[in-house]
Structures are given as structure tokens and as C-alpha cells.
Amino acid sequence: MMFEGPRTYRVQRADREPLVRFMREALESRGCRIIYASEPDRAPFVIAFETLAGERMGVVAYAFLATRTPTKNRPDDERSFQVKYGSKLENNLHEIYQDPLGLLTTVFLGISPDEGFFVAIDPELHNPTKFFTGSNEQRNFVMCE
């Protein structure tokens, strides 16, 4: 029996490379050895690693850039990330991948490489999700520090 991996989306390498680097460096800073990291031109990103204790793990990361956009009547520490993959013209509902074997953990997160933080949301709580919600809108997730 063959298991399919996650549906992938072409993304801008230059825009996504800092997100993949942030995840790799975070794992390496905790003593993990990166076994495999997918290229930053296809999303979601897959990273397999080995912990200091020798345990092997992997993540499927739906990662987006977390930004600060000052908005009147909104908290100063608010950050948001836009969820955008695929085309506005296709069916908007996308299944968030869950490994049928339970070997890979799916994460759905906004990353701020410049500020050195990330925030994650429960991928199953937002599954399926819309990667585009309208002709000029994206799905936004908002967080405060």
C-alpha cells in the first residue's frame, strides 16, 4: 500500500527561505541533527531530525511570515500572518496533511524571524482551511504577545 504525502504548493523561495532557516536553526540550537529539510520553494515544508537522545522525528510545517501592521484601535503588540497557498481561482478548501502513520507531526505556524518568535495554531482545528477567502483577501490569524 502506498501513502501519499501532503499536497504541495509552489512558493517564492526568497520569501520562504527565512522561515525554513528559522525552523532549522531552532532545532539545531537544541542539539538536533537535521536529517532532511525540503527546499523552500515548495510548501508545506518537511524537516526530519534526530534529537540529542537519538530519537528521530519529523514535521510537516505550514509556515507563514508573522508581521506587525499597526492598526488604529488594535493592540500595539498584535502580530498576524496571512495564510496563502495555491490559486484564488481553485476550490478554496484545502486539507491540512496528517501523516496516516503518525511519524510526522503537522504544524501550522506564523514565524517572525527578525523578532525571533513563532506562534502555532492547531492544524486539525482549522482543517480543512481556506488559503484564500476572497478575490483580494487571505485568511488572517491574529496574535498578541
Side-chain angles (χ1 to χ4, degrees), residues 3 14-15 28 32 44 46 73 76 81 86 97 111 121 134 136 138:
F3 295 98
D15 293 341
E28 290 170 335
C32 295
V46 177
N73 298 324
D76 289 339
F81 61 98
Y97 180 76
I111 299 172
I121 61 171
N136 291 318
Q138 298 82 38

Side-chain angles (χ1 to χ4, degrees), residues 88 92 132-138:
K88 291 180 256 187
N92 264 343
F132 280 93
T133 58
S135 60
N136 291 318
E137 300 174 19
Q138 298 82 38

